[in-house]
Amino acid sequence: MQDDEDEGEGSISPYVTKPESRKQHSSSPSCNSLFHAEIVVDAAKVSAETKAYQPIPIIADFTNENGSDSLRETIEANYKRVKREVLSLVESETARIKADCALCHLIK
């Protein structure tokens, strides 16, 4: 375990591991040892870190002018818009390929 002097100024590392090596007998040469670690939690540091948390900002609000949730309606509208755009793109590319002599053999 590290001493408090080893940690840098302003470091918030409340979790310290203590590695322990234990030999494992195995027929495989790559599995000659296992490392185990014990997790030590400094509750005071965790509490201080938790108090410093800031709320995640809201980047999209799905409440309409009536104050009700419009998430489903927004998702449905976006889905329909994307579907229309994809169909339009497929139609325009199909027409372009049919009109090109070098590519028209690709569409039957």
Side-chain angles (χ1 to χ4, degrees), residues 73-87:
E73 293 84 8
T74 303
I75 291 172
E76 186 71 26
N78 286 341
Y79 170 78
K80 288 179 179 178
R81 179 183 53 80
V82 169
K83 188 173 179 178
R84 278 193 314 270
E85 289 175 4
V86 168
L87 289 174

Side-chain angles (χ1 to χ4, degrees), residues 10-78:
S11 172
I12 51 172
S13 176
Y15 309 106
V16 179
T17 60
K18 296 192 287 187
E20 299 173 5
S21 176
R22 187 177 357 176
K23 291 290 182 185
Q24 169 114 357
H25 298 289
S26 173
S27 60
S28 172
S30 63
C31 295
N32 288 334
S33 67
L34 277 173
F35 289 93
H36 298 276
E38 175 184 347
I39 298 176
V40 180
V41 178
D42 185 342
K45 284 186 179 180
V46 171
S47 177
E49 182 180 332
T50 304
K51 288 178 184 175
Y53 286 171
Q54 295 184 7
I56 298 172
I58 296 173
I59 56 172
D61 187 18
F62 295 101
T63 53
N64 60 18
E65 58 276 350
N66 300 333
S68 62
D69 186 19
S70 64
L71 178 63
R72 283 185 177 267
E73 293 84 8
T74 303
I75 291 172
E76 186 71 26
N78 286 341

